[in-house]
Amino acid sequence: MEKRDRMRDRFDREIEKMGVRIKEADNFKVEENVFDETTLLALYRLVHKGKIKVIGGSISTGKEANVFYGEGEEFPVAIKIYRIQSANFRSISDYIIGDPRFSSIRRSKKEIIFAWTKKEYSNLSRALDAGIRVPRPVFFDRNILIMEFMGEDEVPYPQLRQAAIDDYAPVYASILASMKTLFNEAGLVHADLSEFNILFDGEEPIIIDIGQGVTPEHPKAIAFLVRDIKNINRYFNKKCPLRDEEEIFRDIVGEHRMEI
Ligand SMILES: Nc1ncnc2c1ncn2[C@@H]1O[C@H](COP(=O)(O)OP(=O)(O)O)[C@@H](O)[C@H]1O
Ligand SMILES: [Mg+2]
C-alpha cells in the first residue's frame, strides 16, 4: 500500500473508532483525494480534540479551499480547508508581504498557507469584535479553519448574488456601514469584497472569506479599499440609488486619509 493510502486507512479507522460520523462518506472520499497527509493529520487532530463531531457534506470547492459542513462542540460549523497541493498561492504572498502582522514568516508554500489560515482566523476575530456580522471563528490548525456555519438545516445562506431581495437599499447601506466599521474599528480592508463573498440571511448581509484582508498600513490597502467600493457599487447599480464612490471613500477613511 502506498504511504498515502495507509494514511487514509488509518485516518478512516481512527475516525470510526471515535464514533465520528462522516456523512455522505463517498462525497468526502472524493474530496479527500485532494488532501495530503498534513491535512488528514490536522483533521484527525481536530476530531481528536473534539472540535469536530461530524464531518458533513461538501459546501464549496473553490480555487484554493474546500468548505465542508460540520458539527462542532456547540454549534454547526463550516470547515474550510486550504489545499496545500493544488493551490496557487503566489498571489497570496502579495497580501501577506507588507502586512506587519506577518513579517516574520518564512515563505515556503506550506508556511504561507498556514499563515493565511491564521490570518483569516484573526481577521474574523477582529471583525467580530468590532461588531460586524461574520462567521464566528472557532479554531484553526495549519491549513484548516473552523468557523460558525452561516445557514439553516445544513444549507448555507445564499451568496448575495443569488439571494432573493425585495429592497436592496438597506442591504447596500448595511454593507457600506460594515466596510466603515471594518476599516475604523477592526483596522481592516476586506480586499476581495463582492457579491460572492457576502451571504444574505434574508435580513442582513454576512461578510465571509476575509483571509486576504489587510490592515490600513498595508501598501495596497487603499487600492484594495477602492476596488471593494467599486465592486459593491457595480453590484448595486440599478438595484437601488448609489452613493458616489469618492464620497464613500472619504466617509470610510475619514481622518485616516491624511496619514496615508
Ligand atoms: N461560515 C460559513 N457558513 C456557511 N457557508 C460558508 C461559510 N464559509 C463559506 N461558506 C460557503 O462556501 C463558499 C466559499 O467560501 P469562501 O470563504 O468564499 O471560500 P473561497 O476562498 O473558496 O471563495 C461560500 O460562498 C459559502 O457558500
Ligand atoms: Mg469566496
Side-chain angles (χ1 to χ4, degrees):
M1 229 195 291
E2 283 201 16
K3 203 173 159 207
R4 237 180 92 81
D5 293 334
R6 277 204 307 275
M7 182 68 214
R8 194 171 307 149
D9 242 37
R10 194 186 127 203
F11 175 79
D12 287 347
R13 276 201 310 276
E14 294 294 347
I15 294 267
E16 224 177 271
K17 258 196 277 174
M18 304 174 103
V20 169
R21 279 181 302 140
I22 299 186
K23 286 203 226 161
E24 300 167 51
D26 291 341
N27 186 357
F28 188 71
K29 291 257 163 57
V30 172
E31 307 286 347
E32 208 181 317
N33 288 325
V34 301
F35 299 139
D36 59 324
E37 277 177 33
T38 309
T39 305
L40 289 175
L41 263 177
L43 258 179
Y44 168 68
R45 270 201 302 275
L46 290 172
V47 169
H48 190 73
K49 283 185 179 142
K51 303 286 175 194
I52 306 172
K53 306 274 185 226
V54 173
I55 301 172
S58 165
I59 299 175
S60 158
T61 305
K63 271 210 305 278
E64 287 133 2
N66 295 52
V67 181
F68 295 92
Y69 174 82
E71 281 165 34
E73 279 176 300
E74 287 161 29
F75 43 79
V77 292
I79 307 164
K80 183 169 182 177
I81 306 179
Y82 284 98
R83 289 190 303 274
I84 295 174
Q85 305 288 46
S86 57
N88 178 355
F89 269 83
R90 264 176 313 176
S91 58
I92 275 179
S93 53
D94 280 352
Y95 290 91
I96 289 189
I97 298 161
D99 186 327
R101 295 175 297 163
F102 296 93
S103 53
S104 66
I105 62 151
R106 281 186 289 129
R107 279 162 49 193
S108 78
K109 195 169 166 193
K110 252 190 194 176
E111 295 278 334
I112 289 174
I113 294 170
F114 295 168
W116 186 260
T117 310
K118 182 178 178 180
K119 187 154 106 89
E120 182 157 7
Y121 181 94
S122 124
N123 287 351
L124 283 173
S125 307
R126 288 167 75 138
L128 190 76
D129 289 348
I132 296 163
R133 183 95 192 274
V134 294
R136 175 178 295 278
V138 175
F139 201 77
F140 71 90
D141 183 20
R142 292 161 186 256
N143 55 326
I144 304 178
L145 171 67
I146 302 178
M147 63 188 137
E148 177 187 3
F149 176 73
M150 309 307 279
E152 267 169 37
D153 301 327
E154 305 189 19
V155 181
Y157 293 128
Q159 294 172 1
L160 188 61
R161 68 194 173 100
Q162 296 162 324
I165 300 176
D166 297 329
D167 185 6
Y168 282 93
V171 183
Y172 176 62
S174 169
I175 292 168
L176 294 182
S178 290
M179 290 171 75
K180 186 173 178 177
T181 308
L182 196 65
F183 190 89
N184 291 285
E185 310 297 328
L188 284 176
V189 172
H190 185 291
D192 191 19
L193 202 61
S194 75
E195 63 276 23
F196 289 81
N197 286 331
I198 300 173
L199 306 183
F200 189 68
D201 71 359
E203 284 181 22
E204 269 190 341
I206 301 161
I207 292 176
I208 63 163
D209 204 3
I210 199 173
Q212 69 294 313
V214 299
T215 58
E217 298 79 39
H218 188 284
K220 291 194 179 155
I222 291 305
F224 291 149
L225 178 60
V226 169
R227 192 176 65 189
D228 284 353
I229 294 171
K230 283 185 189 295
N231 274 341
I232 295 303
N233 265 13
R234 175 195 38 76
Y235 180 70
F236 282 93
N237 186 26
K238 304 211 171 87
K239 294 187 168 70
C240 65
L242 296 184
R243 284 167 61 190
D244 174 66
E245 283 168 9
E246 174 83 28
E247 182 269 317
I248 297 170
F249 177 82
R250 266 186 275 108
D251 179 45
I252 291 176
V253 173
E255 300 104 61
H256 253 90
R257 196 182 190 189
M258 304 318 290
E259 299 163 27
I260 289 160

